[in-house]
Amino acid sequence: MSRENWGSRLGFMLAAMGSAVGLGNIWRFSFVAGNNGGGAFLILYLLCVLLIGIPLLLSEVSIGRKAQSDVVGSFKKLAPGTPWFLTGFFGVLSAFLILGFYSVVAGWAIYYFIQYVTGSFAAQPEAGYGGAFGEFISNSWYPLFWTALFMGLTIFIVVSGVKKGIESANKIFMPLLAIILIVLAFYSISFDGAAEGLRFLFSPDWSAFSDPSIYIAALGQAFFSLSIGMGAMLTYGSYLSKEHKLPGATLGIGIMDTFFAVVSGLVIFPAVFAFGIDPASGPPLVFITLPTIFEQIPLGGIVGVVFFFALILAALSSSVSILEVPTAYFMRVFNWSRRFTTILMGSIMFVLGIVVSLGFGIWAGVTPIGERNILDSMDYVASYIFLPLGGLAMILFVGWYFTKQQALEATDFTGSAVGNVWYFIVRYFAPIGIILVCLNSLGII
Ligand code: TRP
C-alpha cells in the first residue's frame, strides 16, 4: 500500500502549525507560567524554544521525511539492528498519555463554547466563574460527554481524511484566533491593575532562577507547545516528499507557535491581576480568567462564541496529530485498516480520559505523583520525562548517528552557513542542555 502524502509544502506547514498551535499555547502555557513565577519562566521558555525546540523540530521532521515511515518504523529503517527504534515506543506511549488528558481539557472548551452559544455565561453565575467551573469539572459524568464528543470528532477526522478540510478551516480560524487574542490583549492591558500582570510576565523575579523546577517546566512547555519529542512532527514529516525545503518551514512554525503563547500571556496575566485571580490556579486558570474578561468587554458574549469555536478547531488540529502517531504505527505493524486502528486507539485514549476526568470529581484525592492529581501526573510523566527523553534520542540520532553530511542533507542544509550553527546545536548544545535540565530536575545537579 502506498503511503499518503501532503501534496505541497503549504499543506505540510498548515498541518504542522495546526499541530503546534492548540490548547498548549493558551491553556497550558498560562497555567505553567502562572505556577512558575511568570517572567523568569518566560525567559527560559523562549530560550528553550529558540536554542533547543526549533533545531529539534527540524531534526524530527527530517527523520520522518528521510525514512518515510512512522515513529518506530523510521528508526528501524534508518538504523536497522540497533535499539534506536525504542525511541518510537516512548512516542507511542506519550501519545496515549497526552491525548488522554488533552481530550478532557478540549471537552471543557466545548462546554464553554456551548455556554456562550446559549448565553448562560453572559452574566457571572452565582458561584462565580471559578465556582461554576469547579462544579462542572467535579461532576462525574457530565464533562465526559464533551470529552467523548471531542474524541469522536478527532477519530472522525483521522479516519475520514477530512484532515485536509480541517487544515483549510484553520487557514481562516487560526488568523481569526490570533486577531481575537490580540484584541483581547489590548482590553486586558487596559483593565485597572493590569500593570501588575505585565510586570509578572515580563519582569523576572531573579530569585526564581534558583528554583530547579522552572527549568524543566520551561523545557517541557517548549516541547509540548511545539509538538516535539513524541513523533507527531516526525510522522507528519514522513508524508512530505523530498523536494520541499525544511529549514524555513520549521522556523516559521516555531515563530508562529511562540507568538500565540506570548499573546495568550498578554491576555491572561493582566486580567488575572486586575481581577484578583490566583496566577497559580493550575489547569483551571484560563477557564476562570477568560469568562471574566468576556464579561467586561463589549460584545463579550459573541466574542466568547467565536473564541471558543476557534480554540476547539485549534485543539482538533493538534489532537489529530497526536492520534496519528499510534495509528500510523499500529496500522503498519498489524496491517489493520486505518478506520479500525483509529477507532481502537481513540477508544483507549477515551478510557484514559475517563480516569483523568474523574480525577476532578470522585477521585480528586488520588495523587499518583507527589501532590499531583491524575491530570497533572499524566502531564508530568509525558511533558517532563517522555517528551524530553524522546527529543533527546531524536536529536542524538541526527547529531551522532547520522554523519554530518547526512544530517545536513536530511535537513536541506548542505552548503549553508546557518546549517553549521544548527549542526553544532544539534550535536552538542541541545543534548547537553536537555541532559542538564533533566538531571537538575531530578535534584542530581
Ligand atoms: N502542541 C499542541 C498544543 O500546543 C499539542 C500537541 C500536538 C502535542 N501534538 C503533540 C504535544 C505532540 C506533544 C507532542 O496544544
Side-chain angles (χ1 to χ4, degrees), residues 63 66 74-85 87 392-408 410 423 426-427 431:
I63 297 172
K66 189 173 164 75
S74 288
F75 291 99
K76 289 207 163 160
K77 211 157 161 183
L78 297 177
T82 68
W84 282 103
F85 69 92
T87 313
L392 178 64
M394 292 182 203
I395 214 156
L396 288 175
F397 189 71
V398 173
W400 293 87
Y401 185 81
F402 284 177
T403 63
K404 181 172 184 183
Q405 196 194 347
Q406 282 173 327
L408 292 176
Y423 188 68
V426 162
R427 195 165 158 90

Side-chain angles (χ1 to χ4, degrees), residues 14 16 32 68 81 94 102 109-110 131 142 150 154 161 164 174 176 188 215 221 229-230 286 293 317 334 355 359 367:
L14 286 173
V32 175
Q68 299 281 305
S94 315
Y102 204 86
I110 301 183
Y142 195 30
F150 182 80
T154 304
K164 296 237 155 57
M174 250 207 273
L176 188 65
S188 191
Y215 296 87
Q221 176 59 22
M230 188 184 100
V286 299
I293 300 174
S317 58
F334 295 108
V355 176
T367 50

Side-chain angles (χ1 to χ4, degrees), residues 106-438:
W108 299 345
I110 301 183
Y111 171 76
Y112 268 50
F113 170 68
I114 301 292
Q115 300 313 297
Y116 278 98
V117 169
T118 60
S120 54
F121 264 11
Q124 182 113 215
E126 226 169 276
Y129 288 116
F133 180 69
E135 236 166 73
F136 163 64
I137 58 171
S138 60
N139 186 297
S140 295
W141 306 114
Y142 195 30
L144 286 175
F145 174 75
W146 306 109
T147 306
L149 179 62
F150 182 80
M151 212 54 229
L153 286 171
T154 304
I155 291 171
F156 177 75
I157 294 166
V158 175
V159 170
S160 65
V162 295
K163 248 194 333 257
K164 296 237 155 57
I166 234 237
E167 279 137 34
S168 42
N170 265 328
K171 257 197 252 181
I172 300 164
F173 283 96
M174 250 207 273
L176 188 65
L177 188 62
I179 292 168
I180 299 178
L181 282 171
I182 292 169
V183 173
L184 289 178
F186 279 105
Y187 275 112
S188 191
I189 292 167
S190 68
F191 293 139
D192 277 343
E196 189 56 33
L198 291 177
R199 224 168 294 136
F200 178 79
L201 190 59
F202 293 112
S203 110
D205 166 8
W206 298 104
S207 69
F209 287 105
S210 61
D211 178 357
S213 66
I214 88 169
Y215 296 87
I216 188 76
L219 187 76
Q221 176 59 22
F223 278 38
F224 189 96
S225 194
L226 292 169
S227 305
I228 51 182
M230 188 184 100
M233 291 297 190
L234 184 154
T235 307
Y236 273 10
S238 78
Y239 303 132
L240 196 56
S241 54
K242 298 260 191 276
E243 72 258 27
H244 304 302
K245 298 277 172 280
L246 296 184
T250 47
L251 180 64
I253 295 161
I255 291 173
M256 173 79 103
D257 185 65
T258 309
F259 168 82
F260 271 91
V262 173
V263 180
S264 302
L266 279 172
V267 173
I268 299 299
F269 290 105
V272 159
F273 283 85
F275 301 121
I277 298 165
D278 177 8
S281 300
L285 182 68
V286 299
F287 289 95
I288 302 168
T289 311
L290 286 168
T292 313
I293 300 174
F294 293 150
E295 195 191 13
Q296 303 286 326
I297 64 172
L299 301 178
I302 296 169
V303 177
V305 173
V306 184
F307 176 87
F308 281 106
F309 187 74
L311 183 62
I312 293 162
L313 276 184
L316 272 174
S317 58
S318 299
S319 62
V320 297
S321 77
I322 303 175
L323 183 53
E324 184 69 27
V325 170
T327 299
Y329 168 64
F330 283 101
M331 256 172 79
R332 177 183 58 83
V333 171
F334 295 108
N335 226 339
W336 291 336
S337 72
R338 171 169 276 274
R339 186 192 181 85
F340 173 76
T341 318
T342 312
I343 294 175
L344 181 65
M345 297 303 132
S347 306
I348 298 172
M349 289 163 175
F350 176 64
V351 172
L352 283 171
I354 297 178
V355 176
V356 169
S357 189
L358 292 178
F360 290 94
I362 51 172
W363 289 342
V366 181
T367 50
I369 298 179
E371 305 275 276
R372 296 173 182 84
N373 67 16
I374 298 174
L375 185 153
D376 287 332
S377 298
M378 277 166 61
D379 178 46
Y380 180 88
V381 174
S383 307
Y384 298 154
I385 302 173
F386 285 7
L387 294 184
L389 287 182
L392 178 64
M394 292 182 203
I395 214 156
L396 288 175
F397 189 71
V398 173
W400 293 87
Y401 185 81
F402 284 177
T403 63
K404 181 172 184 183
Q405 196 194 347
Q406 282 173 327
L408 292 176
E409 193 188 297
T411 47
D412 305 318
F413 258 148
T414 308
S416 138
V418 185
N420 283 320
V421 177
W422 168 82
Y423 188 68
F424 173 80
I425 291 178
V426 162
R427 195 165 158 90
Y428 302 106
F429 183 85
I432 293 173
I434 297 171
I435 292 169
L436 289 181
V437 170
C438 290

